[in-house]
Amino acid sequence: MIYADYNATAPCTPEHLAKVTELILQKDGNPSSIHYQGRRAKVALESARKSVAWHFSAEPSEIIFMSGATEVNNFILQGTACHHFFPDCQETSKASVSHFIVSAGEHPSVFATCEFLKKRNQVHLEVAPLLTSGEICLKQLLPLISDKTSLVSLIYVNNETGIMSNLQEIVVQIRKKSPTCHIHIDAVQAFGKIDMRWMGPSGVDSAVVSGHKVGALKGIAALYLKKSVRLGTIIVGGGQERGRRAGTENMPGIFSLGLRSDDLRDNSEVMARLGRLWKTLWDNLSTISGVSLHGDPTCSTKNTVNFHMSGIQGEILMLKLDAAGIAVSTGSACSSGTPKPSHVLKSMGFSDFESANSIRISLGASTTEDDIQEIVRVIRTVADQRKAV
Ligand code: PMP
């Protein structure tokens, strides 16, 4: 079996699971308890927080653990749109309709939250398009920003295409136009691939990473929230996570994310190896007749290839690869099963057919040179069979 769907989830290694299990067994208390077992768990919790904070050049108190990036994106967007409802905020005079700007490349967890808020007349939404390269178009984003804008939410690396935008520069430009709007970064697919330590000292207000995209357990994410930001909470209860996210902490998930955060401090060797494999894959696929690769390879994070094959449905191609023991995705895994064209590819200028029939191959730590050769061989065979029909 060849696993090439790392953007959907990066499997845990047995070594990682063994380390997590050891921590669970050793630090099994409730970190809110004040007895010895509780204090011991609390120390381990704070140590994991510190490990994540390093990646943002943030203070540990600026890291909040939540159940997933979907929850974080809901928290930031709903919290910003509704924060005048929350008791710890005095701004009752704030207009009830907030102006939000997002890029066309955002994950469904951002778009669906915007739609949810739009239906309740809480948000006026504007969408900044993507360039054909797959990057966020700064030229079209900037004119949308005004002194009424409350939030700009941008994806760092797109989950479907692997294309990275130059957010360091984009954030500087946004800040020049709006010193106050909340800037949120969905860094889920960037974590472990790109150095994000520029964020802490920058104009970024919040960012999110998710454990299961980097080989940690599923159901854990970390929010970086700048300490100056005032936001309410959407889950109230026992006051955990400094009142931002009530509920007993998911300690197995937090241990796991903390451990992976330590591993990922220097991931350059893995990324260099992946870069070579990715280049072989890209170069080989581009020689297959009927295959069109999407996005500008110079902006890619070098683990993802997104393409379509003319005359064949994406779902069929994916199933043929599956039958050959190769796991890939049609477009974004989150929208698998829906034949809708990808909003990301549409914004990059692809046709309905191209946007609805793309395949995403995403590589990770377990990928080998032999895997790449086999993936290319199977895709070439499908292309040849398609021509023969
Ligand atoms: N944002 C991006 C860019 C993603 O790729 C994903 C996962 N597909 C999410 C958000 C949601 O993450 P989670 O699975 O942790 O809810």
Side-chain angles (χ1 to χ4, degrees), residues 93-119:
S93 61
K94 190 173 176 293
S96 57
V97 181
S98 303
H99 181 222
F100 278 17
I101 300 167
V102 302
S103 88
E106 298 310 300
H107 185 264
S109 56
V110 167
F111 272 117
T113 309
C114 289
E115 286 307 316
F116 172 87
L117 293 165
K118 254 173 72 180
K119 275 197 196 125

mmCIF file with all atom_site columns, all heavy atoms in Angstrom, residues 93-119:
data_model
loop_
_atom_site.group_PDB
_atom_site.id
_atom_site.type_symbol
_atom_site.label_atom_id
_atom_site.label_alt_id
_atom_site.label_comp_id
_atom_site.label_asym_id
_atom_site.label_entity_id
_atom_site.label_seq_id
_atom_site.pdbx_PDB_ins_code
_atom_site.Cartn_x
_atom_site.Cartn_y
_atom_site.Cartn_z
_atom_site.occupancy
_atom_site.B_iso_or_equiv
_atom_site.pdbx_formal_charge
_atom_site.auth_seq_id
_atom_site.auth_comp_id
_atom_site.auth_asym_id
_atom_site.auth_atom_id
_atom_site.pdbx_PDB_model_num
ATOM 1   N N   . SER A 1 93  ? -21.676 49.136 21.633 1.00 0.00 ? 93  SER A N   1
ATOM 2   C CA  . SER A 1 93  ? -22.132 50.015 20.563 1.00 0.00 ? 93  SER A CA  1
ATOM 3   C C   . SER A 1 93  ? -21.665 49.545 19.182 1.00 0.00 ? 93  SER A C   1
ATOM 4   O O   . SER A 1 93  ? -22.021 50.122 18.168 1.00 0.00 ? 93  SER A O   1
ATOM 5   C CB  . SER A 1 93  ? -21.617 51.431 20.805 1.00 0.00 ? 93  SER A CB  1
ATOM 6   O OG  . SER A 1 93  ? -20.211 51.375 20.809 1.00 0.00 ? 93  SER A OG  1
ATOM 7   N N   . LYS A 1 94  ? -20.844 48.486 19.156 1.00 0.00 ? 94  LYS A N   1
ATOM 8   C CA  . LYS A 1 94  ? -20.285 48.007 17.890 1.00 0.00 ? 94  LYS A CA  1
ATOM 9   C C   . LYS A 1 94  ? -21.409 47.642 16.894 1.00 0.00 ? 94  LYS A C   1
ATOM 10  O O   . LYS A 1 94  ? -22.415 47.069 17.278 1.00 0.00 ? 94  LYS A O   1
ATOM 11  C CB  . LYS A 1 94  ? -19.443 46.760 18.201 1.00 0.00 ? 94  LYS A CB  1
ATOM 12  C CG  . LYS A 1 94  ? -18.605 46.281 17.067 1.00 0.00 ? 94  LYS A CG  1
ATOM 13  C CD  . LYS A 1 94  ? -17.714 45.159 17.589 1.00 0.00 ? 94  LYS A CD  1
ATOM 14  C CE  . LYS A 1 94  ? -16.908 44.543 16.482 1.00 0.00 ? 94  LYS A CE  1
ATOM 15  N NZ  . LYS A 1 94  ? -17.707 43.810 15.499 1.00 0.00 ? 94  LYS A NZ  1
ATOM 16  N N   . ALA A 1 95  ? -21.214 48.013 15.650 1.00 0.00 ? 95  ALA A N   1
ATOM 17  C CA  . ALA A 1 95  ? -22.237 47.704 14.642 1.00 0.00 ? 95  ALA A CA  1
ATOM 18  C C   . ALA A 1 95  ? -22.516 46.209 14.632 1.00 0.00 ? 95  ALA A C   1
ATOM 19  O O   . ALA A 1 95  ? -21.614 45.401 14.833 1.00 0.00 ? 95  ALA A O   1
ATOM 20  C CB  . ALA A 1 95  ? -21.725 48.138 13.277 1.00 0.00 ? 95  ALA A CB  1
ATOM 21  N N   . SER A 1 96  ? -23.759 45.824 14.345 1.00 0.00 ? 96  SER A N   1
ATOM 22  C CA  . SER A 1 96  ? -24.071 44.402 14.465 1.00 0.00 ? 96  SER A CA  1
ATOM 23  C C   . SER A 1 96  ? -23.643 43.602 13.230 1.00 0.00 ? 96  SER A C   1
ATOM 24  O O   . SER A 1 96  ? -23.546 42.393 13.282 1.00 0.00 ? 96  SER A O   1
ATOM 25  C CB  . SER A 1 96  ? -25.558 44.203 14.743 1.00 0.00 ? 96  SER A CB  1
ATOM 26  O OG  . SER A 1 96  ? -26.275 44.812 13.718 1.00 0.00 ? 96  SER A OG  1
ATOM 27  N N   . VAL A 1 97  ? -23.390 44.283 12.098 1.00 0.00 ? 97  VAL A N   1
ATOM 28  C CA  . VAL A 1 97  ? -22.902 43.550 10.916 1.00 0.00 ? 97  VAL A CA  1
ATOM 29  C C   . VAL A 1 97  ? -21.402 43.826 10.759 1.00 0.00 ? 97  VAL A C   1
ATOM 30  O O   . VAL A 1 97  ? -20.989 44.954 10.576 1.00 0.00 ? 97  VAL A O   1
ATOM 31  C CB  . VAL A 1 97  ? -23.659 43.963 9.640  1.00 0.00 ? 97  VAL A CB  1
ATOM 32  C CG1 . VAL A 1 97  ? -23.143 43.174 8.440  1.00 0.00 ? 97  VAL A CG1 1
ATOM 33  C CG2 . VAL A 1 97  ? -25.148 43.763 9.815  1.00 0.00 ? 97  VAL A CG2 1
ATOM 34  N N   . SER A 1 98  ? -20.602 42.756 10.844 1.00 0.00 ? 98  SER A N   1
ATOM 35  C CA  . SER A 1 98  ? -19.147 42.923 10.744 1.00 0.00 ? 98  SER A CA  1
ATOM 36  C C   . SER A 1 98  ? -18.704 42.727 9.299  1.00 0.00 ? 98  SER A C   1
ATOM 37  O O   . SER A 1 98  ? -19.275 41.912 8.579  1.00 0.00 ? 98  SER A O   1
ATOM 38  C CB  . SER A 1 98  ? -18.435 41.874 11.604 1.00 0.00 ? 98  SER A CB  1
ATOM 39  O OG  . SER A 1 98  ? -18.866 41.956 12.927 1.00 0.00 ? 98  SER A OG  1
ATOM 40  N N   . HIS A 1 99  ? -17.662 43.455 8.917  1.00 0.00 ? 99  HIS A N   1
ATOM 41  C CA  . HIS A 1 99  ? -17.108 43.301 7.569  1.00 0.00 ? 99  HIS A CA  1
ATOM 42  C C   . HIS A 1 99  ? -15.948 42.313 7.618  1.00 0.00 ? 99  HIS A C   1
ATOM 43  O O   . HIS A 1 99  ? -14.945 42.564 8.284  1.00 0.00 ? 99  HIS A O   1
ATOM 44  C CB  . HIS A 1 99  ? -16.633 44.667 7.040  1.00 0.00 ? 99  HIS A CB  1
ATOM 45  C CG  . HIS A 1 99  ? -16.065 44.593 5.659  1.00 0.00 ? 99  HIS A CG  1
ATOM 46  N ND1 . HIS A 1 99  ? -14.929 45.263 5.272  1.00 0.00 ? 99  HIS A ND1 1
ATOM 47  C CD2 . HIS A 1 99  ? -16.481 43.912 4.565  1.00 0.00 ? 99  HIS A CD2 1
ATOM 48  C CE1 . HIS A 1 99  ? -14.669 45.000 4.001  1.00 0.00 ? 99  HIS A CE1 1
ATOM 49  N NE2 . HIS A 1 99  ? -15.602 44.184 3.555  1.00 0.00 ? 99  HIS A NE2 1
ATOM 50  N N   . PHE A 1 100 ? -16.108 41.179 6.922  1.00 0.00 ? 100 PHE A N   1
ATOM 51  C CA  . PHE A 1 100 ? -15.076 40.137 6.880  1.00 0.00 ? 100 PHE A CA  1
ATOM 52  C C   . PHE A 1 100 ? -14.525 40.031 5.461  1.00 0.00 ? 100 PHE A C   1
ATOM 53  O O   . PHE A 1 100 ? -15.275 40.104 4.487  1.00 0.00 ? 100 PHE A O   1
ATOM 54  C CB  . PHE A 1 100 ? -15.670 38.758 7.219  1.00 0.00 ? 100 PHE A CB  1
ATOM 55  C CG  . PHE A 1 100 ? -15.829 38.462 8.695  1.00 0.00 ? 100 PHE A CG  1
ATOM 56  C CD1 . PHE A 1 100 ? -15.796 39.475 9.652  1.00 0.00 ? 100 PHE A CD1 1
ATOM 57  C CD2 . PHE A 1 100 ? -16.012 37.150 9.122  1.00 0.00 ? 100 PHE A CD2 1
ATOM 58  C CE1 . PHE A 1 100 ? -15.945 39.184 11.009 1.00 0.00 ? 100 PHE A CE1 1
ATOM 59  C CE2 . PHE A 1 100 ? -16.152 36.854 10.470 1.00 0.00 ? 100 PHE A CE2 1
ATOM 60  C CZ  . PHE A 1 100 ? -16.123 37.867 11.413 1.00 0.00 ? 100 PHE A CZ  1
ATOM 61  N N   . ILE A 1 101 ? -13.219 39.791 5.381  1.00 0.00 ? 101 ILE A N   1
ATOM 62  C CA  . ILE A 1 101 ? -12.601 39.490 4.083  1.00 0.00 ? 101 ILE A CA  1
ATOM 63  C C   . ILE A 1 101 ? -11.859 38.162 4.224  1.00 0.00 ? 101 ILE A C   1
ATOM 64  O O   . ILE A 1 101 ? -11.113 37.969 5.193  1.00 0.00 ? 101 ILE A O   1
ATOM 65  C CB  . ILE A 1 101 ? -11.596 40.596 3.679  1.00 0.00 ? 101 ILE A CB  1
ATOM 66  C CG1 . ILE A 1 101 ? -12.308 41.954 3.572  1.00 0.00 ? 101 ILE A CG1 1
ATOM 67  C CG2 . ILE A 1 101 ? -10.899 40.240 2.371  1.00 0.00 ? 101 ILE A CG2 1
ATOM 68  C CD1 . ILE A 1 101 ? -11.363 43.140 3.481  1.00 0.00 ? 101 ILE A CD1 1
ATOM 69  N N   . VAL A 1 102 ? -12.110 37.266 3.283  1.00 0.00 ? 102 VAL A N   1
ATOM 70  C CA  . VAL A 1 102 ? -11.364 36.005 3.271  1.00 0.00 ? 102 VAL A CA  1
ATOM 71  C C   . VAL A 1 102 ? -10.836 35.800 1.854  1.00 0.00 ? 102 VAL A C   1
ATOM 72  O O   . VAL A 1 102 ? -11.323 36.435 0.916  1.00 0.00 ? 102 VAL A O   1
ATOM 73  C CB  . VAL A 1 102 ? -12.242 34.796 3.692  1.00 0.00 ? 102 VAL A CB  1
ATOM 74  C CG1 . VAL A 1 102 ? -12.840 34.991 5.075  1.00 0.00 ? 102 VAL A CG1 1
ATOM 75  C CG2 . VAL A 1 102 ? -13.340 34.509 2.668  1.00 0.00 ? 102 VAL A CG2 1
ATOM 76  N N   . SER A 1 103 ? -9.873  34.894 1.691  1.00 0.00 ? 103 SER A N   1
ATOM 77  C CA  . SER A 1 103 ? -9.402  34.614 0.334  1.00 0.00 ? 103 SER A CA  1
ATOM 78  C C   . SER A 1 103 ? -10.262 33.502 -0.254 1.00 0.00 ? 103 SER A C   1
ATOM 79  O O   . SER A 1 103 ? -10.895 32.738 0.481  1.00 0.00 ? 103 SER A O   1
ATOM 80  C CB  . SER A 1 103 ? -7.927  34.188 0.349  1.00 0.00 ? 103 SER A CB  1
ATOM 81  O OG  . SER A 1 103 ? -7.827  32.789 0.526  1.00 0.00 ? 103 SER A OG  1
ATOM 82  N N   . ALA A 1 104 ? -10.238 33.386 -1.576 1.00 0.00 ? 104 ALA A N   1
ATOM 83  C CA  . ALA A 1 104 ? -11.014 32.328 -2.238 1.00 0.00 ? 104 ALA A CA  1
ATOM 84  C C   . ALA A 1 104 ? -10.406 30.954 -1.986 1.00 0.00 ? 104 ALA A C   1
ATOM 85  O O   . ALA A 1 104 ? -10.997 29.944 -2.335 1.00 0.00 ? 104 ALA A O   1
ATOM 86  C CB  . ALA A 1 104 ? -11.075 32.604 -3.742 1.00 0.00 ? 104 ALA A CB  1
ATOM 87  N N   . GLY A 1 105 ? -9.227  30.919 -1.376 1.00 0.00 ? 105 GLY A N   1
ATOM 88  C CA  . GLY A 1 105 ? -8.567  29.636 -1.138 1.00 0.00 ? 105 GLY A CA  1
ATOM 89  C C   . GLY A 1 105 ? -8.834  29.055 0.234  1.00 0.00 ? 105 GLY A C   1
ATOM 90  O O   . GLY A 1 105 ? -8.222  28.056 0.611  1.00 0.00 ? 105 GLY A O   1
ATOM 91  N N   . GLU A 1 106 ? -9.742  29.679 1.000  1.00 0.00 ? 106 GLU A N   1
ATOM 92  C CA  . GLU A 1 106 ? -9.934  29.212 2.382  1.00 0.00 ? 106 GLU A CA  1
ATOM 93  C C   . GLU A 1 106 ? -10.539 27.816 2.444  1.00 0.00 ? 106 GLU A C   1
ATOM 94  O O   . GLU A 1 106 ? -11.253 27.381 1.540  1.00 0.00 ? 106 GLU A O   1
ATOM 95  C CB  . GLU A 1 106 ? -10.817 30.192 3.160  1.00 0.00 ? 106 GLU A CB  1
ATOM 96  C CG  . GLU A 1 106 ? -10.229 31.583 3.306  1.00 0.00 ? 106 GLU A CG  1
ATOM 97  C CD  . GLU A 1 106 ? -8.792  31.591 3.805  1.00 0.00 ? 106 GLU A CD  1
ATOM 98  O OE1 . GLU A 1 106 ? -8.540  31.082 4.903  1.00 0.00 ? 106 GLU A OE1 1
ATOM 99  O OE2 . GLU A 1 106 ? -7.918  32.110 3.081  1.00 0.00 ? 106 GLU A OE2 1
ATOM 100 N N   . HIS A 1 107 ? -10.284 27.172 3.574  1.00 0.00 ? 107 HIS A N   1
ATOM 101 C CA  . HIS A 1 107 ? -10.824 25.844 3.863  1.00 0.00 ? 107 HIS A CA  1
ATOM 102 C C   . HIS A 1 107 ? -12.331 25.967 4.134  1.00 0.00 ? 107 HIS A C   1
ATOM 103 O O   . HIS A 1 107 ? -12.797 27.007 4.600  1.00 0.00 ? 107 HIS A O   1
ATOM 104 C CB  . HIS A 1 107 ? -10.095 25.312 5.111  1.00 0.00 ? 107 HIS A CB  1
ATOM 105 C CG  . HIS A 1 107 ? -10.461 23.917 5.471  1.00 0.00 ? 107 HIS A CG  1
ATOM 106 N ND1 . HIS A 1 107 ? -11.427 23.626 6.417  1.00 0.00 ? 107 HIS A ND1 1
ATOM 107 C CD2 . HIS A 1 107 ? -10.000 22.728 5.006  1.00 0.00 ? 107 HIS A CD2 1
ATOM 108 C CE1 . HIS A 1 107 ? -11.517 22.310 6.526  1.00 0.00 ? 107 HIS A CE1 1
ATOM 109 N NE2 . HIS A 1 107 ? -10.678 21.744 5.682  1.00 0.00 ? 107 HIS A NE2 1
ATOM 110 N N   . PRO A 1 108 ? -13.114 24.878 3.876  1.00 0.00 ? 108 PRO A N   1
ATOM 111 C CA  . PRO A 1 108 ? -14.555 24.948 4.142  1.00 0.00 ? 108 PRO A CA  1
ATOM 112 C C   . PRO A 1 108 ? -14.910 25.356 5.582  1.00 0.00 ? 108 PRO A C   1
ATOM 113 O O   . PRO A 1 108 ? -15.973 25.939 5.814  1.00 0.00 ? 108 PRO A O   1
ATOM 114 C CB  . PRO A 1 108 ? -15.036 23.523 3.863  1.00 0.00 ? 108 PRO A CB  1
ATOM 115 C CG  . PRO A 1 108 ? -14.036 22.974 2.897  1.00 0.00 ? 108 PRO A CG  1
ATOM 116 C CD  . PRO A 1 108 ? -12.721 23.626 3.210  1.00 0.00 ? 108 PRO A CD  1
ATOM 117 N N   . SER A 1 109 ? -14.035 25.086 6.540  1.00 0.00 ? 109 SER A N   1
ATOM 118 C CA  . SER A 1 109 ? -14.365 25.475 7.927  1.00 0.00 ? 109 SER A CA  1
ATOM 119 C C   . SER A 1 109 ? -14.430 26.996 8.070  1.00 0.00 ? 109 SER A C   1
ATOM 120 O O   . SER A 1 109 ? -15.114 27.505 8.966  1.00 0.00 ? 109 SER A O   1
ATOM 121 C CB  . SER A 1 109 ? -13.364 24.875 8.919  1.00 0.00 ? 109 SER A CB  1
ATOM 122 O OG  . SER A 1 109 ? -12.041 25.243 8.593  1.00 0.00 ? 109 SER A OG  1
ATOM 123 N N   . VAL A 1 110 ? -13.730 27.732 7.213  1.00 0.00 ? 110 VAL A N   1
ATOM 124 C CA  . VAL A 1 110 ? -13.813 29.196 7.224  1.00 0.00 ? 110 VAL A CA  1
ATOM 125 C C   . VAL A 1 110 ? -15.036 29.640 6.419  1.00 0.00 ? 110 VAL A C   1
ATOM 126 O O   . VAL A 1 110 ? -15.852 30.440 6.894  1.00 0.00 ? 110 VAL A O   1
ATOM 127 C CB  . VAL A 1 110 ? -12.510 29.821 6.654  1.00 0.00 ? 110 VAL A CB  1
ATOM 128 C CG1 . VAL A 1 110 ? -12.684 31.309 6.358  1.00 0.00 ? 110 VAL A CG1 1
ATOM 129 C CG2 . VAL A 1 110 ? -11.368 29.604 7.634  1.00 0.00 ? 110 VAL A CG2 1
ATOM 130 N N   . PHE A 1 111 ? -15.184 29.070 5.216  1.00 0.00 ? 111 PHE A N   1
ATOM 131 C CA  . PHE A 1 111 ? -16.320 29.493 4.376  1.00 0.00 ? 111 PHE A CA  1
ATOM 132 C C   . PHE A 1 111 ? -17.665 29.159 5.021  1.00 0.00 ? 111 PHE A C   1
ATOM 133 O O   . PHE A 1 111 ? -18.587 29.976 5.005  1.00 0.00 ? 111 PHE A O   1
ATOM 134 C CB  . PHE A 1 111 ? -16.240 28.851 2.986  1.00 0.00 ? 111 PHE A CB  1
ATOM 135 C CG  . PHE A 1 111 ? -15.419 29.676 2.035  1.00 0.00 ? 111 PHE A CG  1
ATOM 136 C CD1 . PHE A 1 111 ? -14.254 29.179 1.488  1.00 0.00 ? 111 PHE A CD1 1
ATOM 137 C CD2 . PHE A 1 111 ? -15.815 30.972 1.705  1.00 0.00 ? 111 PHE A CD2 1
ATOM 138 C CE1 . PHE A 1 111 ? -13.496 29.956 0.623  1.00 0.00 ? 111 PHE A CE1 1
ATOM 139 C CE2 . PHE A 1 111 ? -15.061 31.756 0.842  1.00 0.00 ? 111 PHE A CE2 1
ATOM 140 C CZ  . PHE A 1 111 ? -13.902 31.235 0.305  1.00 0.00 ? 111 PHE A CZ  1
ATOM 141 N N   . ALA A 1 112 ? -17.770 27.955 5.595  1.00 0.00 ? 112 ALA A N   1
ATOM 142 C CA  . ALA A 1 112 ? -19.058 27.557 6.191  1.00 0.00 ? 112 ALA A CA  1
ATOM 143 C C   . ALA A 1 112 ? -19.385 28.442 7.389  1.00 0.00 ? 112 ALA A C   1
ATOM 144 O O   . ALA A 1 112 ? -20.552 28.793 7.613  1.00 0.00 ? 112 ALA A O   1
ATOM 145 C CB  . ALA A 1 112 ? -19.010 26.086 6.598  1.00 0.00 ? 112 ALA A CB  1
ATOM 146 N N   . THR A 1 113 ? -18.376 28.837 8.154  1.00 0.00 ? 113 THR A N   1
ATOM 147 C CA  . THR A 1 113 ? -18.629 29.724 9.301  1.00 0.00 ? 113 THR A CA  1
ATOM 148 C C   . THR A 1 113 ? -19.090 31.097 8.801  1.00 0.00 ? 113 THR A C   1
ATOM 149 O O   . THR A 1 113 ? -20.004 31.698 9.373  1.00 0.00 ? 113 THR A O   1
ATOM 150 C CB  . THR A 1 113 ? -17.358 29.857 10.178 1.00 0.00 ? 113 THR A CB  1
ATOM 151 O OG1 . THR A 1 113 ? -16.877 28.551 10.472 1.00 0.00 ? 113 THR A OG1 1
ATOM 152 C CG2 . THR A 1 113 ? -17.650 30.578 11.473 1.00 0.00 ? 113 THR A CG2 1
ATOM 153 N N   . CYS A 1 114 ? -18.470 31.571 7.725  1.00 0.00 ? 114 CYS A N   1
ATOM 154 C CA  . CYS A 1 114 ? -18.898 32.862 7.150  1.00 0.00 ? 114 CYS A CA  1
ATOM 155 C C   . CYS A 1 114 ? -20.347 32.770 6.672  1.00 0.00 ? 114 CYS A C   1
ATOM 156 O O   . CYS A 1 114 ? -21.140 33.698 6.900  1.00 0.00 ? 114 CYS A O   1
ATOM 157 C CB  . CYS A 1 114 ? -17.987 33.255 5.990  1.00 0.00 ? 114 CYS A CB  1
ATOM 158 S SG  . CYS A 1 114 ? -16.347 33.744 6.516  1.00 0.00 ? 114 CYS A SG  1
ATOM 159 N N   . GLU A 1 115 ? -20.689 31.666 6.013  1.00 0.00 ? 115 GLU A N   1
ATOM 160 C CA  . GLU A 1 115 ? -22.068 31.493 5.526  1.00 0.00 ? 115 GLU A CA  1
ATOM 161 C C   . GLU A 1 115 ? -23.052 31.474 6.699  1.00 0.00 ? 115 GLU A C   1
ATOM 162 O O   . GLU A 1 115 ? -24.120 32.073 6.636  1.00 0.00 ? 115 GLU A O   1
ATOM 163 C CB  . GLU A 1 115 ? -22.193 30.190 4.709  1.00 0.00 ? 115 GLU A CB  1
ATOM 164 C CG  . GLU A 1 115 ? -21.569 30.266 3.327  1.00 0.00 ? 115 GLU A CG  1
ATOM 165 C CD  . GLU A 1 115 ? -22.061 31.458 2.502  1.00 0.00 ? 115 GLU A CD  1
ATOM 166 O OE1 . GLU A 1 115 ? -23.271 31.717 2.502  1.00 0.00 ? 115 GLU A OE1 1
ATOM 167 O OE2 . GLU A 1 115 ? -21.207 32.139 1.882  1.00 0.00 ? 115 GLU A OE2 1
ATOM 168 N N   . PHE A 1 116 ? -22.671 30.776 7.758  1.00 0.00 ? 116 PHE A N   1
ATOM 169 C CA  . PHE A 1 116 ? -23.486 30.686 8.976  1.00 0.00 ? 116 PHE A CA  1
ATOM 170 C C   . PHE A 1 116 ? -23.745 32.097 9.536  1.00 0.00 ? 116 PHE A C   1
ATOM 171 O O   . PHE A 1 116 ? -24.874 32.453 9.878  1.00 0.00 ? 116 PHE A O   1
ATOM 172 C CB  . PHE A 1 116 ? -22.704 29.817 9.987  1.00 0.00 ? 116 PHE A CB  1
ATOM 173 C CG  . PHE A 1 116 ? -23.254 29.749 11.374 1.00 0.00 ? 116 PHE A CG  1
ATOM 174 C CD1 . PHE A 1 116 ? -24.216 28.804 11.704 1.00 0.00 ? 116 PHE A CD1 1
ATOM 175 C CD2 . PHE A 1 116 ? -22.795 30.601 12.375 1.00 0.00 ? 116 PHE A CD2 1
ATOM 176 C CE1 . PHE A 1 116 ? -24.708 28.713 13.001 1.00 0.00 ? 116 PHE A CE1 1
ATOM 177 C CE2 . PHE A 1 116 ? -23.284 30.524 13.665 1.00 0.00 ? 116 PHE A CE2 1
ATOM 178 C CZ  . PHE A 1 116 ? -24.246 29.580 13.974 1.00 0.00 ? 116 PHE A CZ  1
ATOM 179 N N   . LEU A 1 117 ? -22.700 32.913 9.563  1.00 0.00 ? 117 LEU A N   1
ATOM 180 C CA  . LEU A 1 117 ? -22.829 34.270 10.117 1.00 0.00 ? 117 LEU A CA  1
ATOM 181 C C   . LEU A 1 117 ? -23.586 35.188 9.154  1.00 0.00 ? 117 LEU A C   1
ATOM 182 O O   . LEU A 1 117 ? -24.337 36.068 9.576  1.00 0.00 ? 117 LEU A O   1
ATOM 183 C CB  . LEU A 1 117 ? -21.442 34.842 10.429 1.00 0.00 ? 117 LEU A CB  1
ATOM 184 C CG  . LEU A 1 117 ? -20.705 34.133 11.574 1.00 0.00 ? 117 LEU A CG  1
ATOM 185 C CD1 . LEU A 1 117 ? -19.221 34.490 11.581 1.00 0.00 ? 117 LEU A CD1 1
ATOM 186 C CD2 . LEU A 1 117 ? -21.338 34.489 12.923 1.00 0.00 ? 117 LEU A CD2 1
ATOM 187 N N   . LYS A 1 118 ? -23.388 34.944 7.844  1.00 0.00 ? 118 LYS A N   1
ATOM 188 C CA  . LYS A 1 118 ? -24.093 35.752 6.835  1.00 0.00 ? 118 LYS A CA  1
ATOM 189 C C   . LYS A 1 118 ? -25.597 35.546 6.943  1.00 0.00 ? 118 LYS A C   1
ATOM 190 O O   . LYS A 1 118 ? -26.378 36.497 6.896  1.00 0.00 ? 118 LYS A O   1
ATOM 191 C CB  . LYS A 1 118 ? -23.632 35.332 5.429  1.00 0.00 ? 118 LYS A CB  1
ATOM 192 C CG  . LYS A 1 118 ? -22.709 36.343 4.784  1.00 0.00 ? 118 LYS A CG  1
ATOM 193 C CD  . LYS A 1 118 ? -22.141 35.817 3.492  1.00 0.00 ? 118 LYS A CD  1
ATOM 194 C CE  . LYS A 1 118 ? -23.168 35.751 2.368  1.00 0.00 ? 118 LYS A CE  1
ATOM 195 N NZ  . LYS A 1 118 ? -22.545 35.238 1.123  1.00 0.00 ? 118 LYS A NZ  1
ATOM 196 N N   . LYS A 1 119 ? -25.993 34.271 7.119  1.00 0.00 ? 119 LYS A N   1
ATOM 197 C CA  . LYS A 1 119 ? -27.434 33.948 7.208  1.00 0.00 ? 119 LYS A CA  1
ATOM 198 C C   . LYS A 1 119 ? -28.077 34.638 8.387  1.00 0.00 ? 119 LYS A C   1
ATOM 199 O O   . LYS A 1 119 ? -29.270 34.913 8.373  1.00 0.00 ? 119 LYS A O   1
ATOM 200 C CB  . LYS A 1 119 ? -27.607 32.426 7.360  1.00 0.00 ? 119 LYS A CB  1
ATOM 201 C CG  . LYS A 1 119 ? -27.612 31.716 6.041  1.00 0.00 ? 119 LYS A CG  1
ATOM 202 C CD  . LYS A 1 119 ? -28.197 30.308 6.172  1.00 0.00 ? 119 LYS A CD  1
ATOM 203 C CE  . LYS A 1 119 ? -27.843 29.493 4.951  1.00 0.00 ? 119 LYS A CE  1
ATOM 204 N NZ  . LYS A 1 119 ? -27.170 28.253 5.250  1.00 0.00 ? 119 LYS A NZ  1
#
